[in-house]
Amino acid sequence: MHTIQEWINDRLMDLGLISDVANKLDNSIILLIIILVTVAIDYICRYIVLGMFKRLAKRTKNQWDDLIVERKIINKMMHIIPAILVYILVPFAFPPEEFPKLLLFLQKICLIYIIAVSLRFINASLNIIHEIYNRKESFKDKPLKGFIQIIQVTVFFIGIIFIISILINKSPVSLFAGLGASAAILMLVFKDTILGFVAGIQLSANDMLRAGDWITMDKYGANGTVMEVTLNAVKVKNFDNTITTIPPYALVSDAFQNWRGMSESSGRRVKRSINIDMNSVCFCTAEMLDKFRKISLITDYIDGKEDELHKYNEEHHIDNSVWVNGRRQTNLGVFRAYLLRYLQSLPEVNKELTCMVRHLQPTETGIPIELYFFSSIKDWVPYEGVQADVFDHILAIIPEFGLSVFQNISGADLRSLKGSSF
């Protein structure tokens, strides 16, 4: 290289340049030649390596090599080669004995560039890893993004430490040692990141939350589907299409409701009651029982229950002339039996899960009759349709059993009573 430098210096002096100017120009010309050579090598390597990799990617069925080509990961990696070559060859253009400060400055730039390109390459590679595993069904519902982000933060943190050590001519080991003394400050600065990372591990280890889960968290106004679980935030798309952002550690420290169990089960619960006016409850007369026998769902129930009660009353010598004595059917009891058989007859009701009709505590608004069953249809809109159809039917058939629904008096009721004896 010295021979080339002397030859260039001689040619410049032949052109009439004085010795000092020629000495400065020959260094710049050698630097330019080094840059041109490294750029040419960079293009050649990218052309050869990238071409070979593209041909290999077309022959394989793997996703990762196609993503590497699409995201230009090879291009990002190849940018390191010219920087390394310039770092190695730059002393030939500016010898350390003649240009120590300039050489040190140029080599520092090269090292910083190498670190920056390496960080960019590692960051892109981690994004590729996240994208590949996110496409797999076994990993799709795992909060991988939070773990990828903590690795990215760690890598960039280490990279920045190395860049600072290059700029101030200090060993990175000494900088890391100094950071240990200021750990309290770092923990304060990165408090949310550290809490988010720990919370992400807890959420994943305990399988508390996955992307795609429907969660409700009243404290943060969240009621919708989890879109993304990251290091610093859990994004929930509410059913009104708004986005709620929740810190990951809040999901660990506070209570939230995850509806995944319902989604993965074989039924979605319906638990709804209707209030019956207690004044309409009575014993069933023979005429009422004859009417109820015509209802196909409870014909066998009426006959079986009558035989059971008649046998009981005979065994205990009950005086049937007084209705209070013995056991008798009531219109409310028949109504409950009908509701249970009606629910069991519906194809939308899961027969393997709990299905019952029960009384709740009577109140000043009547006696609540609660329907407790599970719909095999779990999607929100059809599920609401199942509930509505069931209760539409119930409200329509209540008068057939001599019962009435309790309802508070309204202004329309008072107007209809105007002019009556009441």
Side-chain angles (χ1 to χ4, degrees), residues 23-37:
N23 288 335
K24 292 179 180 179
L25 281 177
D26 62 7
N27 295 111
S28 301
I29 292 173
I30 292 174
L31 179 62
L32 180 61
I33 292 172
I34 291 172
I35 294 173
L36 292 175
V37 169

Side-chain angles (χ1 to χ4, degrees), residues 259 262 265-274 339-340 342-343 346 348-350 353-358 360 369-392 394:
W259 295 82
M262 178 275 296
S265 69
S266 55
R268 182 171 177 179
R269 189 184 71 175
V270 176
K271 183 183 178 183
R272 189 176 289 185
S273 61
I274 187 166
L339 290 182
L340 182 60
Y342 170 69
L343 292 177
L346 295 176
E348 297 87 358
V349 175
N350 191 311
L353 300 176
T354 304
C355 179
M356 66 176 177
V357 179
R358 61 174 182 168
L360 298 181
I369 301 297
E370 183 182 78
L371 280 70
Y372 189 104
F373 64 96
F374 288 82
S375 168
S376 56
I377 299 174
K378 295 175 286 185
D379 291 338
W380 188 15
V381 175
Y383 162 79
E384 292 293 341
V386 170
Q387 289 193 86
D389 290 342
V390 168
F391 278 86
D392 287 348
I394 292 172

Side-chain angles (χ1 to χ4, degrees), residues 32 37 103 123 128 167 244:
L32 180 61
V37 169
L103 176 62
N123 182 63
I128 289 290
L167 292 174
T244 299

Side-chain angles (χ1 to χ4, degrees), residues 52-104:
M52 291 175 60
F53 197 86
K54 284 182 178 179
R55 288 192 293 271
L56 179 64
K58 289 180 180 178
R59 295 177 183 177
T60 62
K61 296 181 180 180
N62 296 321
Q63 294 182 346
W64 62 269
D65 49 8
D66 297 326
L67 286 173
I68 288 175
V69 173
E70 291 175 10
R71 303 295 185 271
K72 298 181 179 180
I73 300 297
I74 302 296
N75 288 0
K76 293 179 174 66
M77 182 180 67
M78 287 299 172
H79 286 309
I80 299 175
I81 296 176
I84 294 174
L85 290 175
V86 170
Y87 179 82
I88 295 172
L89 298 176
V90 75
F92 293 102
F94 300 100
E97 60 274 5
E98 297 181 19
F99 305 94
K101 292 183 179 180
L102 180 59
L103 176 62
L104 181 62

Side-chain angles (χ1 to χ4, degrees), residues 191-294:
K191 181 189 72 172
D192 291 339
T193 302
I194 295 170
L195 288 174
F197 175 63
V198 175
I201 294 175
Q202 290 179 304
L203 290 172
S204 178
N206 298 318
D207 198 20
M208 297 167 62
L209 189 70
R210 303 175 188 169
D213 284 355
W214 169 20
I215 68 169
T216 54
M217 196 173 188
D218 295 334
K219 181 177 180 180
Y220 290 88
N223 183 14
T225 305
V226 176
M227 298 172 58
E228 194 176 43
V229 182
T230 65
L231 188 61
N232 295 314
V234 175
K235 293 183 181 179
V236 179
K237 185 176 182 180
N238 299 315
F239 293 122
D240 59 359
N241 289 328
T242 59
I243 305 295
T244 299
T245 303
I246 307 173
Y249 53 83
L251 294 168
V252 177
S253 59
D254 296 330
F256 72 97
Q257 189 172 17
N258 192 329
W259 295 82
R260 189 203 316 153
M262 178 275 296
S263 301
E264 293 177 350
S265 69
S266 55
R268 182 171 177 179
R269 189 184 71 175
V270 176
K271 183 183 178 183
R272 189 176 289 185
S273 61
I274 187 166
N275 290 346
I276 301 296
D277 189 344
M278 288 182 282
N279 293 320
S280 64
V281 180
C282 64
F283 288 119
C284 292
T285 63
E287 292 77 12
M288 293 173 68
L289 291 175
D290 289 339
K291 177 184 177 181
F292 295 156
R293 282 189 181 93
K294 296 179 181 179

